Amino acid sequence: QRGHALEQQRRFDDAMRAYEAARRPNDAARMAVTLGLWSRAGEFYLAANNPYDASKCFAKGGDSDRCLAALVMVPVDHPGYRKSVVRAVSIAAPRGVLDFALDRFVTPFLSMRPESVDEREALYVLGRLYETGGHAESARLALTRLTEVEPGFRDAAARLASLRGAAAR
């Protein structure tokens, strides 16, 4: 009640602290967002088991490492899972590394039919990351899923043929 009263008085910083003390991390996160405290909001959302909103806050705060760490915690059944995969892949791609956490996170996505240009791009990038990381089977899976939907996507068909040829040798 104290947090709500402080919020009504537009004392958002005090309300945030009151909500935190009352162990109401979603409300504390909302106050942190109102105050533009992106990192703090992300931490509150993580405490509330809401990695999807936490990732958005970390992104707004310019913390791509924490954004990616939050994204890979978004469950497959979350309505934002597909967007989270696309975002996670876009963050990981420039680094050129697909670590265990990201691999585990995107694995269910590899069995889904891509529904947008962004998802097709993510599959292509995943295929490339798997390929350069020496994970040919996963690369084939990503590129196969992509070419089933859009056979002419960039050089996906040629890459897939190359991977299949290497597997046949």
Side-chain angles (χ1 to χ4, degrees):
Q1 290 178 341
R2 184 169 188 275
H4 182 71
L6 291 166
E7 187 176 349
Q8 295 302 314
Q9 297 169 19
R10 304 187 61 76
R11 293 175 51 195
F12 302 123
D13 194 43
D14 292 332
M16 179 181 69
R17 285 195 294 278
Y19 285 135
E20 180 180 19
R23 294 191 173 123
R24 295 181 56 183
N26 273 316
D27 292 321
R30 203 168 32 78
M31 294 300 96
V33 166
T34 301
L35 294 165
L37 302 173
W38 302 115
S39 180
R40 195 81 171 108
E43 292 165 2
F44 284 130
Y45 278 129
L46 285 178
N49 197 28
N50 184 347
Y52 183 75
D53 287 333
S55 72
K56 291 197 262 183
C57 291
F58 291 135
K60 283 191 177 193
D63 191 339
S64 63
D65 290 338
R66 292 182 80 189
C67 177
L68 181 59
L71 286 168
V72 300
M73 291 190 284
V74 174
V76 175
D77 60 353
H78 188 281
Y81 172 75
R82 288 173 172 268
K83 286 182 182 178
S84 297
V85 168
V86 169
R87 181 73 178 129
V89 170
S90 73
I91 293 171
R95 300 172 185 192
V97 178
L98 198 143
D99 65 12
F100 178 76
L102 182 59
D103 177 46
R104 192 182 77 222
F105 174 64
V106 302
T107 296
F109 180 75
L110 295 176
S111 66
M112 299 175 182
R113 181 179 177 86
E115 297 177 349
S116 68
V117 172
D118 289 342
E119 290 182 11
R120 289 192 292 278
E121 179 66 26
L123 274 175
Y124 178 79
V125 171
L126 280 170
R128 297 288 312 269
L129 285 171
Y130 281 123
E131 184 181 7
T132 59
H135 303 282
E137 186 58 38
S138 295
R140 280 192 293 278
L141 180 59
L143 294 172
T144 297
R145 181 69 60 207
L146 173 60
T147 57
E148 287 170 352
V149 175
E150 189 172 335
F153 194 92
R154 294 195 196 182
D155 63 346
R159 288 187 172 283
L160 183 57
S162 175
L163 286 164
R164 286 180 176 155
R169 288 185 216 137

